[in-house]
Amino acid sequence: MKVEIIEHIPYHWLEEVINLAAEMIVIVDCQGIIKYINAAYCEFIGTTVEYAIGKHVNEVIENTRMHIVANTGQAELAAVQRINGSEMIANRLPLVVDGELVGALGTVMFRNPEEWRQYQSKIQSLVEELKYYKNRFEKESKYNFADLIGNSPAFLASKKLAERISSSHSSVLLLGESGTGKELFAHAIHNGSSRAAFPFVPINCASIPEHLLESELFGYEDGAFTGAKKGGKKGQFQAAHHGTIFLDEIGDMPLSMQSKLLRVLQEKEVQRIGSQKSIPVDVRVIAATHRDLEMMVQEGTFRQDLYYRLNVIKIEIPPLRKRTDDIPLISAGLLKKLERNFHRQNTVLSPEVIERLQEHKWPGNIRELENVLERAINVLDGKTIEIHHLPLYLRDQEVDYYIPKQQRMDIQVMPLKETIALVEKQAIHQALKVTDGNKLEAAKLLEIGKTSFYEKCKMYGI
Ligand SMILES: Nc1ncnc2c1ncn2[C@@H]1O[C@H](COP(=O)(O)OP(=O)(O)O)[C@@H](O)[C@H]1O
Ligand SMILES: [Mg+2]
């Protein structure tokens, strides 16, 4: 079998094949006599092939162990060997032919530590690069302007502005109610910029506990506080280097953090917690909020200087109720996306449904529309979404019961009896005011009997 393979290669090629396979190579027999050594190796150790061949390896190569390996049959890989006052790294392999140890083969991997370091740093940068792409792939920012659906004038104006400024490096402030697509805009701006090949790092300022926000944004040094990870941690600003950081819900950032953020924006460098060293960062900031930042500035809950820093380019995204013409188009787009998850095709909205959707106020905007359509597709039997596939609050045209979750907490619901009692009490008070305290007149106004009136007054302590 071996013979067969070698027969296909002309014999005189072999030397070149060996030279290409290993830059520096030496072969000894079991006595340690050099049977073969290439010119590159000889040059490296300051000798010639003619001189070396036939000599004991000990006479030719400093500190060699080739004769030992040829004797023991034990391979020595990546062994450090001192030659010419420099440590080189060598591989020594026993040469076994037809099951018999016949000698040893030596190659030099790195001629000196510098070569090794260069190789190492090359590998290191490849590893870093791999890590970066892996990371980017995992939280890849994939939305583009084409994903921002809508043709209504107000929306198109915002979209055009965002497209125009995407190539700039200035800060962007995205304003709009919850669910209007602020995050989508941020992705599109990043991907439309020269930073698209670098990370897009989203941070939700409202969802990170105040005491963790600083280390999350700026990172920390080894031992900066108890529980700090060994070796410290890179902050998100550093992670976003050359890319974009998206500070979502910036209106919820505590004042103390606002000052620190301002410093980073001004100095373009970050300091990890527990470190005096400044790390330069090149990051574009896109901030977003549903809050009225100008009012917060007036109330003193948002720093004015930070507001000015962020507000270089302001983009307001209109709420869905101000762009009802876009509802059919957006719904169709959202249905396409949902259909993929539900293994459906060609789902449409009935004309009545479209009309109903256009009448709704959409406090939750496109996110709410998404939920409504997802629910509908869940209960859908055919291809057309009808009124009865909509959630109850949308089916009833007269009363719009929908209230965003945050506001629901403020509504108090009392037992019906108590509510009625409260209203009765109010009505009696009103009647008595009108009649200047005359109970008989008041009873008449309320169109109830005298006895019933007195009973109620007694009951309500009037
Ligand atoms: N113009 C749009 N076209 C299609 N889908 C949109 C659009 N705007 C927002 N969406 C979708 O609506 C949802 C809410 O958007 P998001 O960007 O998270 O809103 P916000 O950050 O303003 O609360 C997301 O699922 C997003 O994909
Ligand atoms: Mg959001």
PDB file of all heavy atoms in Angstrom, residues 60-85:
ATOM      1  N   VAL A  60      26.521  18.024  15.364  1.00  0.00           N
ATOM      2  CA  VAL A  60      26.005  19.029  14.424  1.00  0.00           C
ATOM      3  C   VAL A  60      25.009  19.991  15.088  1.00  0.00           C
ATOM      4  O   VAL A  60      25.064  21.197  14.877  1.00  0.00           O
ATOM      5  CB  VAL A  60      25.358  18.346  13.199  1.00  0.00           C
ATOM      6  CG1 VAL A  60      24.806  19.374  12.224  1.00  0.00           C
ATOM      7  CG2 VAL A  60      26.358  17.427  12.514  1.00  0.00           C
ATOM      8  N   ILE A  61      24.123  19.429  15.896  1.00  0.00           N
ATOM      9  CA  ILE A  61      23.058  20.262  16.493  1.00  0.00           C
ATOM     10  C   ILE A  61      23.260  20.378  18.002  1.00  0.00           C
ATOM     11  O   ILE A  61      23.397  19.362  18.695  1.00  0.00           O
ATOM     12  CB  ILE A  61      21.652  19.686  16.175  1.00  0.00           C
ATOM     13  CG1 ILE A  61      21.439  19.592  14.657  1.00  0.00           C
ATOM     14  CG2 ILE A  61      20.552  20.565  16.798  1.00  0.00           C
ATOM     15  CD1 ILE A  61      20.168  18.864  14.258  1.00  0.00           C
ATOM     16  N   GLU A  62      23.285  21.601  18.475  1.00  0.00           N
ATOM     17  CA  GLU A  62      23.444  21.907  19.910  1.00  0.00           C
ATOM     18  C   GLU A  62      22.275  21.343  20.718  1.00  0.00           C
ATOM     19  O   GLU A  62      21.125  21.459  20.287  1.00  0.00           O
ATOM     20  CB  GLU A  62      23.366  23.428  20.063  1.00  0.00           C
ATOM     21  CG  GLU A  62      24.629  24.128  20.533  1.00  0.00           C
ATOM     22  CD  GLU A  62      24.351  25.598  20.676  1.00  0.00           C
ATOM     23  OE1 GLU A  62      24.313  26.288  19.624  1.00  0.00           O
ATOM     24  OE2 GLU A  62      24.131  26.050  21.806  1.00  0.00           O
ATOM     25  N   ASN A  63      22.581  20.811  21.885  1.00  0.00           N
ATOM     26  CA  ASN A  63      21.542  20.390  22.840  1.00  0.00           C
ATOM     27  C   ASN A  63      20.497  19.441  22.251  1.00  0.00           C
ATOM     28  O   ASN A  63      19.350  19.441  22.692  1.00  0.00           O
ATOM     29  CB  ASN A  63      20.795  21.596  23.418  1.00  0.00           C
ATOM     30  CG  ASN A  63      21.736  22.557  24.102  1.00  0.00           C
ATOM     31  OD1 ASN A  63      22.633  22.128  24.839  1.00  0.00           O
ATOM     32  ND2 ASN A  63      21.571  23.840  23.846  1.00  0.00           N
ATOM     33  N   THR A  64      20.868  18.718  21.225  1.00  0.00           N
ATOM     34  CA  THR A  64      19.851  17.879  20.581  1.00  0.00           C
ATOM     35  C   THR A  64      19.489  16.659  21.433  1.00  0.00           C
ATOM     36  O   THR A  64      20.272  16.220  22.277  1.00  0.00           O
ATOM     37  CB  THR A  64      20.328  17.408  19.195  1.00  0.00           C
ATOM     38  OG1 THR A  64      19.271  16.728  18.553  1.00  0.00           O
ATOM     39  CG2 THR A  64      21.533  16.474  19.319  1.00  0.00           C
ATOM     40  N   ARG A  65      18.325  16.124  21.198  1.00  0.00           N
ATOM     41  CA  ARG A  65      17.883  14.898  21.866  1.00  0.00           C
ATOM     42  C   ARG A  65      17.389  13.894  20.820  1.00  0.00           C
ATOM     43  O   ARG A  65      16.725  12.924  21.139  1.00  0.00           O
ATOM     44  CB  ARG A  65      16.753  15.212  22.844  1.00  0.00           C
ATOM     45  CG  ARG A  65      17.208  16.000  24.087  1.00  0.00           C
ATOM     46  CD  ARG A  65      16.027  16.405  24.967  1.00  0.00           C
ATOM     47  NE  ARG A  65      15.168  15.282  25.280  1.00  0.00           N
ATOM     48  CZ  ARG A  65      15.404  14.407  26.269  1.00  0.00           C
ATOM     49  NH1 ARG A  65      16.458  14.539  27.030  1.00  0.00           N
ATOM     50  NH2 ARG A  65      14.572  13.402  26.480  1.00  0.00           N
ATOM     51  N   MET A  66      17.749  14.176  19.574  1.00  0.00           N
ATOM     52  CA  MET A  66      17.274  13.308  18.484  1.00  0.00           C
ATOM     53  C   MET A  66      17.702  11.850  18.683  1.00  0.00           C
ATOM     54  O   MET A  66      16.916  10.930  18.473  1.00  0.00           O
ATOM     55  CB  MET A  66      17.819  13.820  17.133  1.00  0.00           C
ATOM     56  CG  MET A  66      17.157  15.077  16.629  1.00  0.00           C
ATOM     57  SD  MET A  66      15.409  14.855  16.297  1.00  0.00           S
ATOM     58  CE  MET A  66      15.482  13.800  14.869  1.00  0.00           C
ATOM     59  N   HIS A  67      18.957  11.644  19.068  1.00  0.00           N
ATOM     60  CA  HIS A  67      19.466  10.277  19.242  1.00  0.00           C
ATOM     61  C   HIS A  67      18.733   9.566  20.376  1.00  0.00           C
ATOM     62  O   HIS A  67      18.588   8.357  20.366  1.00  0.00           O
ATOM     63  CB  HIS A  67      20.977  10.308  19.490  1.00  0.00           C
ATOM     64  CG  HIS A  67      21.391  11.223  20.610  1.00  0.00           C
ATOM     65  ND1 HIS A  67      21.181  12.593  20.548  1.00  0.00           N
ATOM     66  CD2 HIS A  67      21.961  10.972  21.813  1.00  0.00           C
ATOM     67  CE1 HIS A  67      21.634  13.129  21.673  1.00  0.00           C
ATOM     68  NE2 HIS A  67      22.124  12.154  22.468  1.00  0.00           N
ATOM     69  N   ILE A  68      18.262  10.357  21.353  1.00  0.00           N
ATOM     70  CA  ILE A  68      17.535   9.755  22.473  1.00  0.00           C
ATOM     71  C   ILE A  68      16.163   9.277  22.007  1.00  0.00           C
ATOM     72  O   ILE A  68      15.742   8.156  22.299  1.00  0.00           O
ATOM     73  CB  ILE A  68      17.419  10.758  23.641  1.00  0.00           C
ATOM     74  CG1 ILE A  68      18.845  11.114  24.120  1.00  0.00           C
ATOM     75  CG2 ILE A  68      16.571  10.203  24.782  1.00  0.00           C
ATOM     76  CD1 ILE A  68      18.910  12.289  25.049  1.00  0.00           C
ATOM     77  N   VAL A  69      15.486  10.144  21.240  1.00  0.00           N
ATOM     78  CA  VAL A  69      14.158   9.778  20.729  1.00  0.00           C
ATOM     79  C   VAL A  69      14.271   8.573  19.792  1.00  0.00           C
ATOM     80  O   VAL A  69      13.439   7.666  19.809  1.00  0.00           O
ATOM     81  CB  VAL A  69      13.491  10.979  20.028  1.00  0.00           C
ATOM     82  CG1 VAL A  69      12.183  10.583  19.349  1.00  0.00           C
ATOM     83  CG2 VAL A  69      13.236  12.110  21.025  1.00  0.00           C
ATOM     84  N   ALA A  70      15.330   8.549  19.007  1.00  0.00           N
ATOM     85  CA  ALA A  70      15.549   7.428  18.069  1.00  0.00           C
ATOM     86  C   ALA A  70      15.786   6.127  18.830  1.00  0.00           C
ATOM     87  O   ALA A  70      15.645   5.045  18.278  1.00  0.00           O
ATOM     88  CB  ALA A  70      16.727   7.750  17.151  1.00  0.00           C
ATOM     89  N   ASN A  71      16.149   6.280  20.082  1.00  0.00           N
ATOM     90  CA  ASN A  71      16.413   5.127  20.910  1.00  0.00           C
ATOM     91  C   ASN A  71      15.212   4.682  21.729  1.00  0.00           C
ATOM     92  O   ASN A  71      14.909   3.492  21.830  1.00  0.00           O
ATOM     93  CB  ASN A  71      17.534   5.484  21.893  1.00  0.00           C
ATOM     94  CG  ASN A  71      18.635   4.470  21.834  1.00  0.00           C
ATOM     95  OD1 ASN A  71      18.390   3.306  22.191  1.00  0.00           O
ATOM     96  ND2 ASN A  71      19.799   4.874  21.353  1.00  0.00           N
ATOM     97  N   THR A  72      14.546   5.658  22.335  1.00  0.00           N
ATOM     98  CA  THR A  72      13.418   5.347  23.223  1.00  0.00           C
ATOM     99  C   THR A  72      12.115   5.161  22.463  1.00  0.00           C
ATOM    100  O   THR A  72      11.201   4.505  22.944  1.00  0.00           O
ATOM    101  CB  THR A  72      13.186   6.481  24.232  1.00  0.00           C
ATOM    102  OG1 THR A  72      12.890   7.668  23.499  1.00  0.00           O
ATOM    103  CG2 THR A  72      14.408   6.727  25.099  1.00  0.00           C
ATOM    104  N   GLY A  73      12.005   5.792  21.305  1.00  0.00           N
ATOM    105  CA  GLY A  73      10.736   5.748  20.576  1.00  0.00           C
ATOM    106  C   GLY A  73       9.671   6.662  21.175  1.00  0.00           C
ATOM    107  O   GLY A  73       8.508   6.616  20.804  1.00  0.00           O
ATOM    108  N   GLN A  74      10.074   7.526  22.119  1.00  0.00           N
ATOM    109  CA  GLN A  74       9.119   8.452  22.757  1.00  0.00           C
ATOM    110  C   GLN A  74       9.140   9.823  22.073  1.00  0.00           C
ATOM    111  O   GLN A  74      10.180  10.481  22.055  1.00  0.00           O
ATOM    112  CB  GLN A  74       9.510   8.667  24.236  1.00  0.00           C
ATOM    113  CG  GLN A  74       9.373   7.428  25.105  1.00  0.00           C
ATOM    114  CD  GLN A  74       7.916   7.056  25.325  1.00  0.00           C
ATOM    115  OE1 GLN A  74       7.095   7.911  25.621  1.00  0.00           O
ATOM    116  NE2 GLN A  74       7.598   5.784  25.160  1.00  0.00           N
ATOM    117  N   ALA A  75       8.011  10.233  21.539  1.00  0.00           N
ATOM    118  CA  ALA A  75       7.945  11.522  20.846  1.00  0.00           C
ATOM    119  C   ALA A  75       8.101  12.678  21.826  1.00  0.00           C
ATOM    120  O   ALA A  75       7.681  12.580  22.985  1.00  0.00           O
ATOM    121  CB  ALA A  75       6.618  11.641  20.119  1.00  0.00           C
ATOM    122  N   GLU A  76       8.707  13.750  21.391  1.00  0.00           N
ATOM    123  CA  GLU A  76       8.794  14.980  22.189  1.00  0.00           C
ATOM    124  C   GLU A  76       8.255  16.127  21.339  1.00  0.00           C
ATOM    125  O   GLU A  76       8.859  16.502  20.342  1.00  0.00           O
ATOM    126  CB  GLU A  76      10.254  15.243  22.603  1.00  0.00           C
ATOM    127  CG  GLU A  76      10.799  14.179  23.534  1.00  0.00           C
ATOM    128  CD  GLU A  76      12.255  14.386  23.927  1.00  0.00           C
ATOM    129  OE1 GLU A  76      12.885  15.338  23.416  1.00  0.00           O
ATOM    130  OE2 GLU A  76      12.756  13.599  24.754  1.00  0.00           O
ATOM    131  N   LEU A  77       7.116  16.617  21.761  1.00  0.00           N
ATOM    132  CA  LEU A  77       6.455  17.640  20.942  1.00  0.00           C
ATOM    133  C   LEU A  77       6.604  19.022  21.569  1.00  0.00           C
ATOM    134  O   LEU A  77       6.540  19.172  22.783  1.00  0.00           O
ATOM    135  CB  LEU A  77       4.970  17.319  20.774  1.00  0.00           C
ATOM    136  CG  LEU A  77       4.682  16.017  20.007  1.00  0.00           C
ATOM    137  CD1 LEU A  77       3.195  15.721  19.991  1.00  0.00           C
ATOM    138  CD2 LEU A  77       5.243  16.095  18.595  1.00  0.00           C
ATOM    139  N   ALA A  78       6.805  20.011  20.721  1.00  0.00           N
ATOM    140  CA  ALA A  78       6.926  21.409  21.146  1.00  0.00           C
ATOM    141  C   ALA A  78       7.937  21.554  22.294  1.00  0.00           C
ATOM    142  O   ALA A  78       7.691  22.244  23.269  1.00  0.00           O
ATOM    143  CB  ALA A  78       5.570  21.969  21.556  1.00  0.00           C
ATOM    144  N   ALA A  79       9.049  20.880  22.142  1.00  0.00           N
ATOM    145  CA  ALA A  79      10.085  20.952  23.178  1.00  0.00           C
ATOM    146  C   ALA A  79      10.976  22.167  22.943  1.00  0.00           C
ATOM    147  O   ALA A  79      11.301  22.494  21.803  1.00  0.00           O
ATOM    148  CB  ALA A  79      10.929  19.685  23.123  1.00  0.00           C
ATOM    149  N   VAL A  80      11.324  22.826  24.031  1.00  0.00           N
ATOM    150  CA  VAL A  80      12.156  24.013  23.908  1.00  0.00           C
ATOM    151  C   VAL A  80      13.618  23.577  23.838  1.00  0.00           C
ATOM    152  O   VAL A  80      14.079  22.761  24.628  1.00  0.00           O
ATOM    153  CB  VAL A  80      11.938  24.946  25.117  1.00  0.00           C
ATOM    154  CG1 VAL A  80      12.863  26.161  25.029  1.00  0.00           C
ATOM    155  CG2 VAL A  80      10.479  25.384  25.188  1.00  0.00           C
ATOM    156  N   GLN A  81      14.312  24.103  22.877  1.00  0.00           N
ATOM    157  CA  GLN A  81      15.722  23.732  22.690  1.00  0.00           C
ATOM    158  C   GLN A  81      16.542  24.988  22.429  1.00  0.00           C
ATOM    159  O   GLN A  81      16.149  25.839  21.644  1.00  0.00           O
ATOM    160  CB  GLN A  81      15.827  22.775  21.508  1.00  0.00           C
ATOM    161  CG  GLN A  81      17.229  22.241  21.302  1.00  0.00           C
ATOM    162  CD  GLN A  81      17.267  21.281  20.120  1.00  0.00           C
ATOM    163  OE1 GLN A  81      16.226  20.740  19.728  1.00  0.00           O
ATOM    164  NE2 GLN A  81      18.440  21.074  19.557  1.00  0.00           N
ATOM    165  N   ARG A  82      17.679  25.068  23.121  1.00  0.00           N
ATOM    166  CA  ARG A  82      18.497  26.261  22.981  1.00  0.00           C
ATOM    167  C   ARG A  82      19.495  26.086  21.859  1.00  0.00           C
ATOM    168  O   ARG A  82      20.305  25.180  21.874  1.00  0.00           O
ATOM    169  CB  ARG A  82      19.229  26.515  24.294  1.00  0.00           C
ATOM    170  CG  ARG A  82      19.152  27.946  24.708  1.00  0.00           C
ATOM    171  CD  ARG A  82      19.911  28.198  25.994  1.00  0.00           C
ATOM    172  NE  ARG A  82      20.536  29.518  25.924  1.00  0.00           N
ATOM    173  CZ  ARG A  82      19.838  30.626  26.034  1.00  0.00           C
ATOM    174  NH1 ARG A  82      18.540  30.573  26.235  1.00  0.00           N
ATOM    175  NH2 ARG A  82      20.440  31.791  25.924  1.00  0.00           N
ATOM    176  N   ILE A  83      19.408  26.954  20.846  1.00  0.00           N
ATOM    177  CA  ILE A  83      20.375  26.917  19.752  1.00  0.00           C
ATOM    178  C   ILE A  83      20.843  28.346  19.474  1.00  0.00           C
ATOM    179  O   ILE A  83      20.017  29.257  19.411  1.00  0.00           O
ATOM    180  CB  ILE A  83      19.750  26.329  18.456  1.00  0.00           C
ATOM    181  CG1 ILE A  83      19.414  24.842  18.663  1.00  0.00           C
ATOM    182  CG2 ILE A  83      20.708  26.480  17.284  1.00  0.00           C
ATOM    183  CD1 ILE A  83      18.971  24.137  17.395  1.00  0.00           C
ATOM    184  N   ASN A  84      22.134  28.524  19.312  1.00  0.00           N
ATOM    185  CA  ASN A  84      22.673  29.863  19.024  1.00  0.00           C
ATOM    186  C   ASN A  84      22.204  30.904  20.043  1.00  0.00           C
ATOM    187  O   ASN A  84      21.872  32.023  19.682  1.00  0.00           O
ATOM    188  CB  ASN A  84      22.285  30.350  17.627  1.00  0.00           C
ATOM    189  CG  ASN A  84      22.927  29.510  16.537  1.00  0.00           C
ATOM    190  OD1 ASN A  84      23.916  28.810  16.797  1.00  0.00           O
ATOM    191  ND2 ASN A  84      22.365  29.567  15.349  1.00  0.00           N
ATOM    192  N   GLY A  85      22.079  30.518  21.277  1.00  0.00           N
ATOM    193  CA  GLY A  85      21.700  31.465  22.327  1.00  0.00           C
ATOM    194  C   GLY A  85      20.231  31.853  22.289  1.00  0.00           C
ATOM    195  O   GLY A  85      19.804  32.788  22.955  1.00  0.00           O
TER     196      GLY A  85
END
